[in-house]
Amino acid sequence: MLYGSIEAGGTKFVCAVGDETLEILHRESFPTTNPEQTMKDVVAFFKPYEEQMAGIGIGSFGPIDIHEDSPTYGFITSTPKVAWQNFDFVGMMKREFSVPIAWTTDVNAAAYGEYRFGHGQDVDSVVYYTIGTGVGGGAIQKGRFVEGFSHPEMGHMLVVPHVDDSYKGNCPFHGNCLEGMAAGPAIEKRLGKKGADVPETDPFWLIEAEYIAQCVYNTTLMLSPDVIILGGGVMKQTHMLEKVRKAFTKLMQGYVQTPPLATYIVTPALEDNAGTMGCLALAQKVACSTEK
Amino acid sequence: MLYGSIEAGGTKFVCAVGDETLEILHRESFPTTNPEQTMKDVVAFFKPYEEQMAGIGIGSFGPIDIHEDSPTYGFITSTPKVAWQNFDFVGMMKREFSVPIAWTTDVNAAAYGEYRFGHGQDVDSVVYYTIGTGVGGGAIQKGRFVEGFSHPEMGHMLVVPHVDDSYKGNCPFHGNCLEGMAAGPAIEKRLGKKGADVPETDPFWLIEAEYIAQCVYNTTLMLSPDVIILGGGVMKQTHMLEKVRKAFTKLMQGYVQTPPLATYIVTPALEDNAGTMGCLALAQKVACSTEK
């Protein structure tokens, strides 16, 4: 029995096949171009495993339609990526593979990976953020994604401009929301180079940490989760985590007693595998729940 | 069979007794002074019903300890109200009445009331805010409170200062957080009179609406609930709701397609009964779940 994972990101699709212990047997990436080309690669990747496949988990960039009773369930909906607007992702996969399919956002999938196998495995609730090309967040409480009329879009929460930051933000919708101020492109536009090339000593990182700390602060007050996991390219700057914790402590002013920050504000235990592991686990879950 | 409700607020305790249909048979309020005095009133209120009482629901001001495996479960913890710090509320009630007790925050109780009998009765997830002497929020998804290491403290989320507002905020912890900028005392300190006495035409209400809209915006992005219910004294200004909806629309810039605002951003269907109805329903729920 095998499970499939599709991490559908804005830059690349990572496909993987795992066995019953969710050990990854094969993994490959394909560029995110348009549905015709990219999905051809995806289908070709899974076809050799079709006979043994018991379920597929998809974690997709969004916005996506997550309501099973909706006529557009399983679609990528109003994404700025024009080629992918209104793409019937789940429907297309179901036509190619007659297996149960789990469908959620890319960040929810990563949150689920951490919840099951990473920092969340001993607690009830986790929030996972990716801070990279964009900012996105997903939350789980007792195995269930936090959602309602749709999935969260946490990356666009409001942030208070830092006193030493004159940048106006580059979110096409909100200007200076979290993503507009703290995602990779905003760093690059401010400093004229990619974040990965900005030295640890650059004072900008304190500003960046302050924005991320505002996000962690608001998340603490809104969801009060057991752990907040910060993933994505920006957090690969290993000096950032401690800066975020310090800025968070200053913002909170002792008002809420969180768990110790060493276990409360963390980077992913599964590193870059959180999404794939989450999708595989969701595939297994949907396969089990639809077994005869 | 009767159920008891205690809405424990910072100003008054509202006690009520309801029957099996949750119709309120008797209700009385007592001033919030200190645990000795106030709890004497509370106990005296319920004693005549002791024999028939099947459960009591408590919605308390906080912060409170909600973890059943904690040694201080059922306590009011680090409240600024010194007399109530570390008060063993559930323990005290259990010593007086040998019935199951449901224990949550005042805003969670109101959220539950609306979820069961008000705006939330046909949907899966609700968020309830009170904007009055303070600002607090509670969220429910599929019958379960959104919580983790503790309950949310939504009233202290960050807000972006309005361009026409020079007030620095009066939250003793965070200065210009939502509560520090938008709760009743902040209005009174700015304008020199209570909000109830400020005319509808005062331009300040547009500033107030903008802060509340920021709260609704962040809530939409973080939780994506089916409905956001705005209660409390400030929202009794009937002109406010439409102002908040307008400011929200401007903030959102069409990024997320929420349900229609007429059903998405609303005032409590149960008006001032949301808390009592929520506590009674929680009392019934805890009584049923512990029946032999």
PDB file of all heavy atoms in Angstrom, chain A residues 141 145 147-150 153 156 158 174 217-218 221 224-225 252 255, chain B residues 141 144-145 148-150 153 156 158 174 217-218 221 224-225 252 255:
ATOM      1  N   GLN A 141      -6.107  22.280  15.615  1.00  0.00           N
ATOM      2  CA  GLN A 141      -6.448  22.037  17.015  1.00  0.00           C
ATOM      3  C   GLN A 141      -7.061  20.652  17.118  1.00  0.00           C
ATOM      4  O   GLN A 141      -8.062  20.364  16.462  1.00  0.00           O
ATOM      5  CB  GLN A 141      -7.421  23.110  17.513  1.00  0.00           C
ATOM      6  CG  GLN A 141      -7.745  22.935  18.994  1.00  0.00           C
ATOM      7  CD  GLN A 141      -8.695  24.010  19.516  1.00  0.00           C
ATOM      8  OE1 GLN A 141      -8.734  25.110  19.010  1.00  0.00           O
ATOM      9  NE2 GLN A 141      -9.446  23.654  20.546  1.00  0.00           N
ATOM     10  N   PHE A 145      -8.216  21.139  11.209  1.00  0.00           N
ATOM     11  CA  PHE A 145      -7.740  22.435  10.751  1.00  0.00           C
ATOM     12  C   PHE A 145      -8.668  23.543  11.242  1.00  0.00           C
ATOM     13  O   PHE A 145      -9.892  23.380  11.251  1.00  0.00           O
ATOM     14  CB  PHE A 145      -7.663  22.489   9.218  1.00  0.00           C
ATOM     15  CG  PHE A 145      -6.623  21.562   8.653  1.00  0.00           C
ATOM     16  CD1 PHE A 145      -6.975  20.521   7.811  1.00  0.00           C
ATOM     17  CD2 PHE A 145      -5.287  21.729   8.992  1.00  0.00           C
ATOM     18  CE1 PHE A 145      -6.020  19.654   7.313  1.00  0.00           C
ATOM     19  CE2 PHE A 145      -4.317  20.875   8.485  1.00  0.00           C
ATOM     20  CZ  PHE A 145      -4.683  19.826   7.650  1.00  0.00           C
ATOM     21  N   GLU A 147     -10.670  26.493  10.533  1.00  0.00           N
ATOM     22  CA  GLU A 147     -11.236  27.027   9.296  1.00  0.00           C
ATOM     23  C   GLU A 147     -12.715  27.315   9.513  1.00  0.00           C
ATOM     24  O   GLU A 147     -13.276  26.976  10.561  1.00  0.00           O
ATOM     25  CB  GLU A 147     -11.070  26.023   8.145  1.00  0.00           C
ATOM     26  CG  GLU A 147     -11.752  24.704   8.396  1.00  0.00           C
ATOM     27  CD  GLU A 147     -11.382  23.613   7.384  1.00  0.00           C
ATOM     28  OE1 GLU A 147     -10.266  23.648   6.856  1.00  0.00           O
ATOM     29  OE2 GLU A 147     -12.233  22.748   7.147  1.00  0.00           O
ATOM     30  N   GLY A 148     -13.320  27.948   8.515  1.00  0.00           N
ATOM     31  CA  GLY A 148     -14.742  28.272   8.616  1.00  0.00           C
ATOM     32  C   GLY A 148     -15.271  28.493   7.222  1.00  0.00           C
ATOM     33  O   GLY A 148     -15.330  27.551   6.439  1.00  0.00           O
ATOM     34  N   PHE A 149     -15.606  29.760   6.883  1.00  0.00           N
ATOM     35  CA  PHE A 149     -16.135  30.004   5.530  1.00  0.00           C
ATOM     36  C   PHE A 149     -15.075  29.673   4.487  1.00  0.00           C
ATOM     37  O   PHE A 149     -15.380  29.400   3.336  1.00  0.00           O
ATOM     38  CB  PHE A 149     -16.654  31.438   5.374  1.00  0.00           C
ATOM     39  CG  PHE A 149     -15.586  32.487   5.243  1.00  0.00           C
ATOM     40  CD1 PHE A 149     -14.967  32.731   4.024  1.00  0.00           C
ATOM     41  CD2 PHE A 149     -15.181  33.226   6.348  1.00  0.00           C
ATOM     42  CE1 PHE A 149     -13.980  33.701   3.905  1.00  0.00           C
ATOM     43  CE2 PHE A 149     -14.200  34.192   6.229  1.00  0.00           C
ATOM     44  CZ  PHE A 149     -13.595  34.427   5.008  1.00  0.00           C
ATOM     45  N   SER A 150     -13.800  29.685   4.909  1.00  0.00           N
ATOM     46  CA  SER A 150     -12.696  29.267   4.051  1.00  0.00           C
ATOM     47  C   SER A 150     -11.519  28.925   4.966  1.00  0.00           C
ATOM     48  O   SER A 150     -11.675  28.829   6.177  1.00  0.00           O
ATOM     49  CB  SER A 150     -12.332  30.381   3.068  1.00  0.00           C
ATOM     50  OG  SER A 150     -11.304  29.952   2.199  1.00  0.00           O
ATOM     51  N   GLU A 153      -5.942  33.035   5.970  1.00  0.00           N
ATOM     52  CA  GLU A 153      -4.972  33.719   5.099  1.00  0.00           C
ATOM     53  C   GLU A 153      -4.097  34.587   5.998  1.00  0.00           C
ATOM     54  O   GLU A 153      -3.983  35.796   5.819  1.00  0.00           O
ATOM     55  CB  GLU A 153      -5.713  34.587   4.067  1.00  0.00           C
ATOM     56  CG  GLU A 153      -6.342  33.816   2.938  1.00  0.00           C
ATOM     57  CD  GLU A 153      -5.330  33.390   1.885  1.00  0.00           C
ATOM     58  OE1 GLU A 153      -4.190  33.904   1.886  1.00  0.00           O
ATOM     59  OE2 GLU A 153      -5.681  32.520   1.056  1.00  0.00           O
ATOM     60  N   HIS A 156      -1.665  37.864   5.632  1.00  0.00           N
ATOM     61  CA  HIS A 156      -2.073  39.234   5.312  1.00  0.00           C
ATOM     62  C   HIS A 156      -2.577  39.997   6.526  1.00  0.00           C
ATOM     63  O   HIS A 156      -3.216  41.039   6.384  1.00  0.00           O
ATOM     64  CB  HIS A 156      -3.106  39.229   4.184  1.00  0.00           C
ATOM     65  CG  HIS A 156      -2.512  38.790   2.884  1.00  0.00           C
ATOM     66  ND1 HIS A 156      -2.166  39.665   1.891  1.00  0.00           N
ATOM     67  CD2 HIS A 156      -2.142  37.553   2.441  1.00  0.00           C
ATOM     68  CE1 HIS A 156      -1.630  38.990   0.869  1.00  0.00           C
ATOM     69  NE2 HIS A 156      -1.612  37.702   1.183  1.00  0.00           N
ATOM     70  N   LEU A 158      -2.594  42.537   9.652  1.00  0.00           N
ATOM     71  CA  LEU A 158      -2.026  43.880   9.745  1.00  0.00           C
ATOM     72  C   LEU A 158      -0.814  43.886  10.675  1.00  0.00           C
ATOM     73  O   LEU A 158      -0.804  43.157  11.671  1.00  0.00           O
ATOM     74  CB  LEU A 158      -3.078  44.850  10.290  1.00  0.00           C
ATOM     75  CG  LEU A 158      -4.309  45.036   9.400  1.00  0.00           C
ATOM     76  CD1 LEU A 158      -5.399  45.766  10.168  1.00  0.00           C
ATOM     77  CD2 LEU A 158      -3.940  45.791   8.131  1.00  0.00           C
ATOM     78  N   HIS A 174      -2.943  45.086   0.202  1.00  0.00           N
ATOM     79  CA  HIS A 174      -2.940  45.820   1.465  1.00  0.00           C
ATOM     80  C   HIS A 174      -1.688  46.653   1.692  1.00  0.00           C
ATOM     81  O   HIS A 174      -1.560  47.270   2.739  1.00  0.00           O
ATOM     82  CB  HIS A 174      -3.105  44.843   2.635  1.00  0.00           C
ATOM     83  CG  HIS A 174      -4.152  43.799   2.397  1.00  0.00           C
ATOM     84  ND1 HIS A 174      -3.851  42.479   2.189  1.00  0.00           N
ATOM     85  CD2 HIS A 174      -5.497  43.898   2.296  1.00  0.00           C
ATOM     86  CE1 HIS A 174      -4.969  41.805   1.978  1.00  0.00           C
ATOM     87  NE2 HIS A 174      -5.978  42.625   2.035  1.00  0.00           N
ATOM     88  N   TYR A 217       2.847  37.308  18.182  1.00  0.00           N
ATOM     89  CA  TYR A 217       2.071  37.917  19.266  1.00  0.00           C
ATOM     90  C   TYR A 217       0.566  37.814  18.968  1.00  0.00           C
ATOM     91  O   TYR A 217      -0.212  37.322  19.790  1.00  0.00           O
ATOM     92  CB  TYR A 217       2.506  39.381  19.415  1.00  0.00           C
ATOM     93  CG  TYR A 217       1.664  40.212  20.353  1.00  0.00           C
ATOM     94  CD1 TYR A 217       1.982  40.322  21.699  1.00  0.00           C
ATOM     95  CD2 TYR A 217       0.543  40.909  19.891  1.00  0.00           C
ATOM     96  CE1 TYR A 217       1.208  41.089  22.560  1.00  0.00           C
ATOM     97  CE2 TYR A 217      -0.238  41.675  20.745  1.00  0.00           C
ATOM     98  CZ  TYR A 217       0.100  41.762  22.068  1.00  0.00           C
ATOM     99  OH  TYR A 217      -0.680  42.515  22.919  1.00  0.00           O
ATOM    100  N   ASN A 218       0.168  38.271  17.772  1.00  0.00           N
ATOM    101  CA  ASN A 218      -1.257  38.200  17.422  1.00  0.00           C
ATOM    102  C   ASN A 218      -1.758  36.760  17.407  1.00  0.00           C
ATOM    103  O   ASN A 218      -2.885  36.472  17.826  1.00  0.00           O
ATOM    104  CB  ASN A 218      -1.512  38.849  16.059  1.00  0.00           C
ATOM    105  CG  ASN A 218      -1.599  40.370  16.144  1.00  0.00           C
ATOM    106  OD1 ASN A 218      -1.820  40.932  17.221  1.00  0.00           O
ATOM    107  ND2 ASN A 218      -1.429  41.035  15.012  1.00  0.00           N
ATOM    108  N   LEU A 221      -2.455  35.636  20.918  1.00  0.00           N
ATOM    109  CA  LEU A 221      -3.678  36.192  21.498  1.00  0.00           C
ATOM    110  C   LEU A 221      -4.937  35.643  20.832  1.00  0.00           C
ATOM    111  O   LEU A 221      -5.970  35.510  21.467  1.00  0.00           O
ATOM    112  CB  LEU A 221      -3.653  37.717  21.399  1.00  0.00           C
ATOM    113  CG  LEU A 221      -2.529  38.379  22.201  1.00  0.00           C
ATOM    114  CD1 LEU A 221      -2.633  39.876  22.118  1.00  0.00           C
ATOM    115  CD2 LEU A 221      -2.548  37.936  23.654  1.00  0.00           C
ATOM    116  N   SER A 224      -3.877  31.082  20.931  1.00  0.00           N
ATOM    117  CA  SER A 224      -3.304  30.502  22.143  1.00  0.00           C
ATOM    118  C   SER A 224      -2.825  29.061  21.900  1.00  0.00           C
ATOM    119  O   SER A 224      -3.125  28.161  22.684  1.00  0.00           O
ATOM    120  CB  SER A 224      -4.391  30.537  23.234  1.00  0.00           C
ATOM    121  OG  SER A 224      -3.845  30.342  24.490  1.00  0.00           O
ATOM    122  N   PRO A 225      -2.084  28.822  20.832  1.00  0.00           N
ATOM    123  CA  PRO A 225      -1.699  27.443  20.494  1.00  0.00           C
ATOM    124  C   PRO A 225      -0.606  26.917  21.422  1.00  0.00           C
ATOM    125  O   PRO A 225       0.009  27.693  22.154  1.00  0.00           O
ATOM    126  CB  PRO A 225      -1.156  27.567  19.067  1.00  0.00           C
ATOM    127  CG  PRO A 225      -0.553  28.934  19.037  1.00  0.00           C
ATOM    128  CD  PRO A 225      -1.443  29.793  19.913  1.00  0.00           C
ATOM    129  N   MET A 252       4.943  41.353  24.290  1.00  0.00           N
ATOM    130  CA  MET A 252       3.957  40.732  25.178  1.00  0.00           C
ATOM    131  C   MET A 252       3.928  41.385  26.553  1.00  0.00           C
ATOM    132  O   MET A 252       2.894  41.425  27.208  1.00  0.00           O
ATOM    133  CB  MET A 252       4.243  39.231  25.299  1.00  0.00           C
ATOM    134  CG  MET A 252       3.194  38.456  26.070  1.00  0.00           C
ATOM    135  SD  MET A 252       1.529  38.613  25.385  1.00  0.00           S
ATOM    136  CE  MET A 252       1.582  37.401  24.082  1.00  0.00           C
ATOM    137  N   TYR A 255       2.090  39.905  29.592  1.00  0.00           N
ATOM    138  CA  TYR A 255       0.626  39.849  29.749  1.00  0.00           C
ATOM    139  C   TYR A 255       0.097  38.424  29.738  1.00  0.00           C
ATOM    140  O   TYR A 255      -0.761  38.055  30.546  1.00  0.00           O
ATOM    141  CB  TYR A 255      -0.063  40.674  28.655  1.00  0.00           C
ATOM    142  CG  TYR A 255      -1.555  40.613  28.753  1.00  0.00           C
ATOM    143  CD1 TYR A 255      -2.209  41.194  29.833  1.00  0.00           C
ATOM    144  CD2 TYR A 255      -2.315  39.947  27.803  1.00  0.00           C
ATOM    145  CE1 TYR A 255      -3.587  41.112  29.957  1.00  0.00           C
ATOM    146  CE2 TYR A 255      -3.697  39.869  27.923  1.00  0.00           C
ATOM    147  CZ  TYR A 255      -4.323  40.451  29.003  1.00  0.00           C
ATOM    148  OH  TYR A 255      -5.684  40.357  29.124  1.00  0.00           O
TER     149      TYR A 255
ATOM    150  N   GLN B 141     -15.258  26.390  17.024  1.00  0.00           N
ATOM    151  CA  GLN B 141     -15.311  25.690  15.736  1.00  0.00           C
ATOM    152  C   GLN B 141     -15.879  24.302  15.972  1.00  0.00           C
ATOM    153  O   GLN B 141     -15.350  23.521  16.762  1.00  0.00           O
ATOM    154  CB  GLN B 141     -13.911  25.601  15.129  1.00  0.00           C
ATOM    155  CG  GLN B 141     -13.938  24.944  13.750  1.00  0.00           C
ATOM    156  CD  GLN B 141     -12.564  24.865  13.097  1.00  0.00           C
ATOM    157  OE1 GLN B 141     -11.698  25.689  13.356  1.00  0.00           O
ATOM    158  NE2 GLN B 141     -12.358  23.868  12.263  1.00  0.00           N
ATOM    159  N   ARG B 144     -16.352  23.241  19.581  1.00  0.00           N
ATOM    160  CA  ARG B 144     -15.178  23.217  20.461  1.00  0.00           C
ATOM    161  C   ARG B 144     -14.571  24.622  20.539  1.00  0.00           C
ATOM    162  O   ARG B 144     -14.430  25.289  19.519  1.00  0.00           O
ATOM    163  CB  ARG B 144     -14.165  22.243  19.847  1.00  0.00           C
ATOM    164  CG  ARG B 144     -13.012  21.880  20.721  1.00  0.00           C
ATOM    165  CD  ARG B 144     -12.030  21.007  19.940  1.00  0.00           C
ATOM    166  NE  ARG B 144     -12.430  19.610  19.876  1.00  0.00           N
ATOM    167  CZ  ARG B 144     -11.930  18.728  19.007  1.00  0.00           C
ATOM    168  NH1 ARG B 144     -11.032  19.115  18.104  1.00  0.00           N
ATOM    169  NH2 ARG B 144     -12.325  17.483  19.021  1.00  0.00           N
ATOM    170  N   PHE B 145     -14.209  25.040  21.739  1.00  0.00           N
ATOM    171  CA  PHE B 145     -13.564  26.343  21.868  1.00  0.00           C
ATOM    172  C   PHE B 145     -12.178  26.313  21.237  1.00  0.00           C
ATOM    173  O   PHE B 145     -11.453  25.327  21.380  1.00  0.00           O
ATOM    174  CB  PHE B 145     -13.448  26.754  23.341  1.00  0.00           C
ATOM    175  CG  PHE B 145     -14.780  27.004  23.992  1.00  0.00           C
ATOM    176  CD1 PHE B 145     -15.205  26.238  25.061  1.00  0.00           C
ATOM    177  CD2 PHE B 145     -15.608  27.999  23.503  1.00  0.00           C
ATOM    178  CE1 PHE B 145     -16.448  26.462  25.646  1.00  0.00           C
ATOM    179  CE2 PHE B 145     -16.858  28.232  24.081  1.00  0.00           C
ATOM    180  CZ  PHE B 145     -17.275  27.460  25.141  1.00  0.00           C
ATOM    181  N   GLY B 148      -5.553  26.499  23.386  1.00  0.00           N
ATOM    182  CA  GLY B 148      -4.351  25.668  23.362  1.00  0.00           C
ATOM    183  C   GLY B 148      -3.697  25.728  24.724  1.00  0.00           C
ATOM    184  O   GLY B 148      -4.271  25.235  25.687  1.00  0.00           O
ATOM    185  N   PHE B 149      -2.532  26.391  24.820  1.00  0.00           N
ATOM    186  CA  PHE B 149      -1.874  26.460  26.136  1.00  0.00           C
ATOM    187  C   PHE B 149      -2.769  27.217  27.120  1.00  0.00           C
ATOM    188  O   PHE B 149      -2.638  27.061  28.329  1.00  0.00           O
ATOM    189  CB  PHE B 149      -0.472  27.073  26.036  1.00  0.00           C
ATOM    190  CG  PHE B 149      -0.451  28.564  25.840  1.00  0.00           C
ATOM    191  CD1 PHE B 149      -0.581  29.415  26.922  1.00  0.00           C
ATOM    192  CD2 PHE B 149      -0.294  29.117  24.578  1.00  0.00           C
ATOM    193  CE1 PHE B 149      -0.564  30.798  26.743  1.00  0.00           C
ATOM    194  CE2 PHE B 149      -0.279  30.491  24.394  1.00  0.00           C
ATOM    195  CZ  PHE B 149      -0.410  31.323  25.482  1.00  0.00           C
ATOM    196  N   SER B 150      -3.675  28.053  26.593  1.00  0.00           N
ATOM    197  CA  SER B 150      -4.658  28.749  27.413  1.00  0.00           C
ATOM    198  C   SER B 150      -5.811  29.165  26.491  1.00  0.00           C
ATOM    199  O   SER B 150      -5.872  28.723  25.346  1.00  0.00           O
ATOM    200  CB  SER B 150      -4.022  29.961  28.093  1.00  0.00           C
ATOM    201  OG  SER B 150      -4.963  30.602  28.950  1.00  0.00           O
ATOM    202  N   GLU B 153      -6.814  35.686  24.135  1.00  0.00           N
ATOM    203  CA  GLU B 153      -6.923  37.014  24.759  1.00  0.00           C
ATOM    204  C   GLU B 153      -6.988  38.032  23.618  1.00  0.00           C
ATOM    205  O   GLU B 153      -6.180  38.957  23.526  1.00  0.00           O
ATOM    206  CB  GLU B 153      -5.686  37.273  25.641  1.00  0.00           C
ATOM    207  CG  GLU B 153      -5.690  36.542  26.961  1.00  0.00           C
ATOM    208  CD  GLU B 153      -6.602  37.201  27.990  1.00  0.00           C
ATOM    209  OE1 GLU B 153      -7.022  38.358  27.791  1.00  0.00           O
ATOM    210  OE2 GLU B 153      -6.908  36.530  29.004  1.00  0.00           O
ATOM    211  N   HIS B 156      -6.294  42.039  23.076  1.00  0.00           N
ATOM    212  CA  HIS B 156      -4.997  42.724  23.131  1.00  0.00           C
ATOM    213  C   HIS B 156      -4.212  42.618  21.828  1.00  0.00           C
ATOM    214  O   HIS B 156      -3.012  42.869  21.804  1.00  0.00           O
ATOM    215  CB  HIS B 156      -4.183  42.219  24.330  1.00  0.00           C
ATOM    216  CG  HIS B 156      -4.793  42.616  25.647  1.00  0.00           C
ATOM    217  ND1 HIS B 156      -4.313  43.664  26.403  1.00  0.00           N
ATOM    218  CD2 HIS B 156      -5.879  42.141  26.301  1.00  0.00           C
ATOM    219  CE1 HIS B 156      -5.072  43.804  27.489  1.00  0.00           C
ATOM    220  NE2 HIS B 156      -6.021  42.878  27.450  1.00  0.00           N
ATOM    221  N   LEU B 158      -2.657  43.647  18.258  1.00  0.00           N
ATOM    222  CA  LEU B 158      -2.100  44.932  17.842  1.00  0.00           C
ATOM    223  C   LEU B 158      -3.016  45.603  16.828  1.00  0.00           C
ATOM    224  O   LEU B 158      -3.639  44.931  16.005  1.00  0.00           O
ATOM    225  CB  LEU B 158      -0.725  44.707  17.205  1.00  0.00           C
ATOM    226  CG  LEU B 158       0.338  44.129  18.143  1.00  0.00           C
ATOM    227  CD1 LEU B 158       1.550  43.650  17.355  1.00  0.00           C
ATOM    228  CD2 LEU B 158       0.749  45.176  19.170  1.00  0.00           C
ATOM    229  N   HIS B 174       0.267  47.073  26.968  1.00  0.00           N
ATOM    230  CA  HIS B 174       0.663  47.298  25.575  1.00  0.00           C
ATOM    231  C   HIS B 174       0.364  48.688  25.066  1.00  0.00           C
ATOM    232  O   HIS B 174       0.614  48.979  23.902  1.00  0.00           O
ATOM    233  CB  HIS B 174      -0.054  46.283  24.664  1.00  0.00           C
ATOM    234  CG  HIS B 174      -0.034  44.898  25.211  1.00  0.00           C
ATOM    235  ND1 HIS B 174      -1.156  44.272  25.673  1.00  0.00           N
ATOM    236  CD2 HIS B 174       0.982  44.026  25.395  1.00  0.00           C
ATOM    237  CE1 HIS B 174      -0.839  43.067  26.123  1.00  0.00           C
ATOM    238  NE2 HIS B 174       0.447  42.885  25.972  1.00  0.00           N
ATOM    239  N   TYR B 217     -10.947  42.275  10.562  1.00  0.00           N
ATOM    240  CA  TYR B 217     -10.058  41.902   9.448  1.00  0.00           C
ATOM    241  C   TYR B 217      -9.062  40.820   9.906  1.00  0.00           C
ATOM    242  O   TYR B 217      -8.932  39.765   9.269  1.00  0.00           O
ATOM    243  CB  TYR B 217      -9.325  43.161   8.958  1.00  0.00           C
ATOM    244  CG  TYR B 217      -8.227  42.910   7.951  1.00  0.00           C
ATOM    245  CD1 TYR B 217      -8.492  42.920   6.583  1.00  0.00           C
ATOM    246  CD2 TYR B 217      -6.913  42.667   8.361  1.00  0.00           C
ATOM    247  CE1 TYR B 217      -7.481  42.692   5.657  1.00  0.00           C
ATOM    248  CE2 TYR B 217      -5.906  42.436   7.447  1.00  0.00           C
ATOM    249  CZ  TYR B 217      -6.190  42.451   6.096  1.00  0.00           C
ATOM    250  OH  TYR B 217      -5.191  42.209   5.180  1.00  0.00           O
ATOM    251  N   ASN B 218      -8.357  41.093  11.007  1.00  0.00           N
ATOM    252  CA  ASN B 218      -7.386  40.094  11.490  1.00  0.00           C
ATOM    253  C   ASN B 218      -8.071  38.776  11.854  1.00  0.00           C
ATOM    254  O   ASN B 218      -7.534  37.700  11.613  1.00  0.00           O
ATOM    255  CB  ASN B 218      -6.619  40.635  12.699  1.00  0.00           C
ATOM    256  CG  ASN B 218      -5.478  41.561  12.296  1.00  0.00           C
ATOM    257  OD1 ASN B 218      -5.027  41.557  11.150  1.00  0.00           O
ATOM    258  ND2 ASN B 218      -5.012  42.360  13.238  1.00  0.00           N
ATOM    259  N   LEU B 221      -8.706  36.795   8.736  1.00  0.00           N
ATOM    260  CA  LEU B 221      -7.513  36.169   8.169  1.00  0.00           C
ATOM    261  C   LEU B 221      -6.976  35.047   9.041  1.00  0.00           C
ATOM    262  O   LEU B 221      -6.405  34.084   8.546  1.00  0.00           O
ATOM    263  CB  LEU B 221      -6.435  37.231   7.941  1.00  0.00           C
ATOM    264  CG  LEU B 221      -6.808  38.306   6.919  1.00  0.00           C
ATOM    265  CD1 LEU B 221      -5.652  39.238   6.688  1.00  0.00           C
ATOM    266  CD2 LEU B 221      -7.243  37.693   5.600  1.00  0.00           C
ATOM    267  N   SER B 224     -10.973  32.733   9.807  1.00  0.00           N
ATOM    268  CA  SER B 224     -11.894  32.511   8.702  1.00  0.00           C
ATOM    269  C   SER B 224     -13.234  31.941   9.188  1.00  0.00           C
ATOM    270  O   SER B 224     -13.746  30.973   8.645  1.00  0.00           O
ATOM    271  CB  SER B 224     -11.220  31.535   7.716  1.00  0.00           C
ATOM    272  OG  SER B 224     -11.839  31.542   6.475  1.00  0.00           O
ATOM    273  N   PRO B 225     -13.823  32.550  10.212  1.00  0.00           N
ATOM    274  CA  PRO B 225     -15.052  31.964  10.790  1.00  0.00           C
ATOM    275  C   PRO B 225     -16.263  32.208   9.893  1.00  0.00           C
ATOM    276  O   PRO B 225     -16.196  33.001   8.961  1.00  0.00           O
ATOM    277  CB  PRO B 225     -15.210  32.744  12.103  1.00  0.00           C
ATOM    278  CG  PRO B 225     -14.639  34.092  11.791  1.00  0.00           C
ATOM    279  CD  PRO B 225     -13.484  33.838  10.836  1.00  0.00           C
ATOM    280  N   MET B 252     -10.035  45.194   3.590  1.00  0.00           N
ATOM    281  CA  MET B 252      -9.879  43.890   2.945  1.00  0.00           C
ATOM    282  C   MET B 252      -9.508  44.017   1.471  1.00  0.00           C
ATOM    283  O   MET B 252      -8.820  43.164   0.920  1.00  0.00           O
ATOM    284  CB  MET B 252     -11.161  43.076   3.120  1.00  0.00           C
ATOM    285  CG  MET B 252     -11.076  41.646   2.616  1.00  0.00           C
ATOM    286  SD  MET B 252      -9.725  40.701   3.369  1.00  0.00           S
ATOM    287  CE  MET B 252     -10.511  40.160   4.888  1.00  0.00           C
ATOM    288  N   TYR B 255      -9.576  41.075  -1.012  1.00  0.00           N
ATOM    289  CA  TYR B 255      -8.620  39.963  -1.024  1.00  0.00           C
ATOM    290  C   TYR B 255      -9.269  38.626  -0.673  1.00  0.00           C
ATOM    291  O   TYR B 255      -9.015  37.610  -1.317  1.00  0.00           O
ATOM    292  CB  TYR B 255      -7.460  40.254  -0.067  1.00  0.00           C
ATOM    293  CG  TYR B 255      -6.470  39.120  -0.014  1.00  0.00           C
ATOM    294  CD1 TYR B 255      -5.673  38.823  -1.120  1.00  0.00           C
ATOM    295  CD2 TYR B 255      -6.347  38.313   1.119  1.00  0.00           C
ATOM    296  CE1 TYR B 255      -4.778  37.768  -1.093  1.00  0.00           C
ATOM    297  CE2 TYR B 255      -5.458  37.259   1.140  1.00  0.00           C
ATOM    298  CZ  TYR B 255      -4.681  36.990   0.043  1.00  0.00           C
ATOM    299  OH  TYR B 255      -3.806  35.936   0.068  1.00  0.00           O
TER     300      TYR B 255
END
